[in-house]
Amino acid sequence: MSDIKTALQHRILVLDGAMGTMLQRYNFSEEDFRGERFKEYPSSVKGNNDLLSLTQPQAIADVHRKYFEAGADIVETNTFSGTTIAMADYDMEDLVYELNYESAKIAKQVADEFTNTNPDKPRFVAGSIGPTNKTASLSPDVNKPEFRAITFDELRIAYKQQVEALIDGGVDVLLVETIFDTLNAKAALFAIEEVKEERNIDIPIMVSGTITDASGRTLSGQTVEAFLLSISHIPLLSVGFNCALGADQLQPYLQRLSNETDFYTSAHPNAGLPNAFGEYEQTADQMNALIENYLKDGLVNIIGGCCGTTPEHIKKIADTAKNYQPRKIEVII
């Protein structure tokens, strides 16, 4: 069961919860974000959570540890914004390789601790590849609908650098997540396939899209089925949805996805919808009751949490998931 594909055939795997939500509890100051190394950095870095892998590595390791203790099988690296595109906001493009490599290393060391303690329950690390803050399909300027802030090739190059560093750092799987623009995701998948071919390796790939509103579409306008078709040319480990919606709102779209694919399926919804202050109020018990509906209906193979979720949420979900069989698929990928 040391292989994630083998583990998926036997049980529902639990993904961790929100890294950002946990880091907010530390209430890190600008000085904490900077650490000693970036003490004299010319611009503000507060809010650059990926940087904490270099300046507060113990905090990142502790968050991973808490999620594993809660019952998670998979933790995501602290690399959601780990591309030159996203790091340009902080003028830290030169740090991208190091940020991804160190984040992967931290997560892998903690995962190995838990696996060595209990080899019957191996723990895995998913390299988190976020969507960047630019979109290849849509114009940011309503007066210039033909304009694009980024090209496919620029995205591919940025993602390739991130992927190489994550693999060098020891991740077990790559997770292209929170996809609001499928063209961005296709650039990431293209980059991953390039690296796999150049290195003559195979690494499992998880893909997780985002349904942005009640229309049931991604931000770039795709339905569940269109999104699935757009990324199914790659042999994926899993396909699923995360973020934007709570477990209740996400269920019908997850049902449609589950009906249409022979890939394993994943879901890591938010802890409900945010209130007027952007806070997530759904308790662990409330969220778990909704997630249990996914499990009863056999919709998922991998389940976890996104914005607002904590180790308390993940513990409830992990304890409940033990009582259910994973979703059956006709073809083992």
Side-chain angles (χ1 to χ4, degrees):
M1 295 257 295
S2 60
D3 176 76
I4 194 166
K5 294 179 184 177
T6 309
L8 277 165
Q9 293 171 39
H10 293 88
R11 59 194 171 91
I12 296 168
L13 296 189
V14 177
L15 191 66
D16 62 1
M19 173 64 75
T21 298
M22 293 299 290
L23 290 176
Q24 282 172 9
R25 293 181 172 185
Y26 287 86
N27 206 19
F28 285 133
S29 65
E30 174 74 32
E31 288 68 34
D32 295 325
F33 272 89
R34 288 171 176 269
E36 199 57 41
R37 178 173 166 186
F38 300 98
K39 204 171 182 178
E40 307 299 327
Y41 201 74
S43 52
S44 173
V45 296
K46 189 176 180 181
N48 185 356
N49 284 350
D50 293 30
L51 183 64
L52 294 172
S53 293
L54 303 184
T55 58
Q56 302 290 339
Q58 196 53 54
I60 302 301
D62 286 345
V63 171
H64 291 321
R65 199 168 280 115
K66 286 186 174 85
Y67 279 123
F68 278 138
E69 285 168 352
D73 299 286
I74 310 166
V75 296
E76 300 172 53
T77 54
N78 180 41
T79 55
F80 187 79
S81 301
T83 57
T84 50
I85 298 159
M87 280 296 139
D89 286 354
Y90 301 95
D91 299 314
M92 286 186 157
E93 297 96 320
D94 292 349
L95 289 174
V96 161
Y97 182 90
E98 187 183 1
L99 287 171
N100 284 279
Y101 178 79
E102 292 299 329
S103 295
K105 228 168 96 179
I106 293 166
K108 189 61 176 170
Q109 283 171 349
V110 180
D112 287 347
E113 279 174 31
F114 281 82
T115 299
N116 293 338
T117 304
N118 182 7
D120 291 334
K121 186 181 162 103
R123 309 301 177 103
F124 304 102
V125 174
S128 172
I129 300 172
T132 83
N133 48 8
K134 294 185 178 176
T135 168
S137 292
L138 302 168
S139 172
D141 185 349
V142 290
N143 297 312
K144 296 174 80 177
E146 77 285 0
F147 176 72
R148 296 292 180 270
I150 192 103
T151 67
F152 183 92
D153 216 39
E154 287 168 335
L155 284 162
R156 176 190 65 79
I157 291 164
Y159 280 130
K160 188 175 181 183
Q161 184 181 11
Q162 181 176 28
V163 167
E164 288 174 333
L166 288 170
I167 291 172
D168 290 346
V171 300
D172 302 293
V173 57
L174 294 168
L175 169 58
V176 183
E177 65 165 317
T178 321
I179 299 162
F180 57 79
D181 182 347
T182 312
L183 193 54
N184 286 38
K186 286 169 85 74
L189 293 171
F190 192 99
I192 293 168
E193 290 301 307
E194 264 194 314
V195 175
K196 282 166 62 175
E197 192 175 327
E198 286 170 8
R199 297 189 176 201
N200 195 25
I201 58 168
D202 193 18
I203 185 165
I205 306 165
M206 297 171 64
V207 163
S208 185
T210 296
I211 300 294
T212 51
D213 56 36
S215 71
R217 294 172 182 265
T218 63
L219 187 67
S220 54
Q222 286 190 311
T223 62
V224 170
E225 293 79 6
F227 168 71
L228 179 62
L229 277 171
S230 295
I231 46 92
S232 290
H233 60 294
I234 300 282
L236 302 174
L237 177 72
S238 68
V239 61
F241 292 118
N242 74 290
C243 205
L245 301 177
D248 195 21
Q249 295 86 3
L250 190 61
Q251 183 163 352
Y253 308 117
L254 196 57
Q255 178 75 64
R256 281 162 56 185
L257 182 73
S258 179
N259 291 343
E260 293 292 330
T261 185
D262 284 330
F263 296 133
Y264 291 117
T265 53
S266 72
H268 51 296
N270 293 344
L273 296 175
N275 63 21
F277 301 102
E279 298 162 340
Y280 293 87
E281 298 175 328
Q282 195 170 75
T283 66
D285 284 327
Q286 289 169 334
M287 185 175 181
N288 182 54
L290 296 169
I291 292 291
E292 192 163 11
N293 292 328
Y294 295 7
L295 309 179
K296 285 175 183 171
D297 292 346
L299 300 185
V300 292
N301 302 97
I302 302 168
I303 187 70
C306 202
C307 304
T309 57
T310 65
E312 292 76 23
H313 291 81
I314 297 305
K315 184 173 190 331
K316 287 281 183 185
I317 291 168
D319 288 345
T320 301
K322 289 176 193 166
N323 303 320
Y324 291 91
Q325 290 299 307
R327 167 181 166 271
K328 297 297 176 199
I329 59 175
E330 294 188 13
V331 181
I332 299 298
I333 304 301

